[in-house]
Amino acid sequence: MKQNSAAVEALLSQHRDQVLAEWQAELTAGGGNRALASEVRETGEVLTAILAGVRASGNTENFEDTPWTPVRDVLERLSASRAAQGSAAADTSRFVLALKKPLFAGLQRSFKDNPAAMVEATWEISTLIDHMAQFTVTTYQRSREEVISRQQMELLELSTPVVKLWDGVLAVPMIGTLDSGRTQLVMETLLQRIVETGSGLAIIDITGVPTVDTLVAQHLLKTVTAIRLMGADAIISGIRPQIAQTIVHLGIDLEGITTKATLADALKLAMKRAGFVVTRAKGADAFGTGSVGGLA
C-alpha cells in the first residue's frame, strides 16, 4: 500500500469518530444548523466504504476500478434517495465535498514533519473526493431523469383513458399533442380493452388535440389500422372546421374512415350501427331529466 493511502487508511480506522464529528460539523455549518439525522447515518456508511476501498485497492486512485464499487454503490443510493426527495444536485455534492476539510486536517497531523508528503497526500485525497462528488451529481441527474420519465408515463396513462360508452362501444378522448410514444400507448391500451370487453367499435375523439398535421394524421391512421386488425371498427370524432381544412390542405387521405364533428354524433352513429334507436320519452324536458325510453 502506498504511503499516502496507508495514512488515509490509518486516519479512517484509528480516528474514525473524530473525522465523522468534524464532517458532520461541516455539514451542519453549511446547512444552516438544520437537523442532520439522515446525514449522520450516511456519513458513517460513506467512511466505511472509503476505508474498504483503500484497503482493497491499496491506493486512493482509479475511482472507477472494482475495489471502489462499495463507495460507488453507497453514493448511488444516497443520490437516488435525495433525487426522489426533491433535493438539489448541489446539496448532494456539498455532502461529499464537506469531507475534504476533516481529511485534510487529519493528513496534516499525520504528515506534520513531512510537508512534501502532506501536499502529495492532500492532492490525492482531494482528487478522490472530487471524483466522488462528480459521481453523485451524475447519478443524481440520472435518477431525476428516471423520476421525470416515470411521471411522464403516468401522466400519459392518465391523459389517454379508454372509456366504455356503451355495450360494445369504447372511446379514447385525446388531449394534447399526439406523438409516436403516445400513439403506441394508446394503441396498446385500446387494443387490450377491445380484447377484454369484446367491443366492436372504438371512437377516437380528437377534440382536445390542438392541431393536426401529417404526422398526427399518420398516427391516427396507424391506430385505426390496428383496431381493424383486431376485428373492430373505428370512428374519429372532433373534426372541427379548422381541422377539416388542415386535412384537406395537407392532402391527407382519410377515405374509408368514418369521421364525425362531435363525440355525441359519433356515439349516436355507434348506437345506430349496434341496432339501438334512441327516442325521447313523453314528458322528458330539454335536459333529459325524464325517463328514457325507446332503446331497442
Side-chain angles (χ1 to χ4, degrees), residues 8 11 29 67 70 145 158 165 168 178-179 185 194 203 210 258 261 263 270:
V8 174
L11 177 62
E145 289 171 358
L158 291 174
L165 295 181
L178 186 61
D179 56 19
L185 178 62
I194 288 175
I203 300 173
T258 304
L263 179 58

Side-chain angles (χ1 to χ4, degrees), residues 231-251:
D233 200 2
I235 300 174
I236 299 178
S237 64
I239 305 295
R240 307 181 298 279
Q242 299 89 340
I243 298 295
Q245 292 177 23
T246 302
I247 291 175
V248 172
H249 289 322
L250 293 175

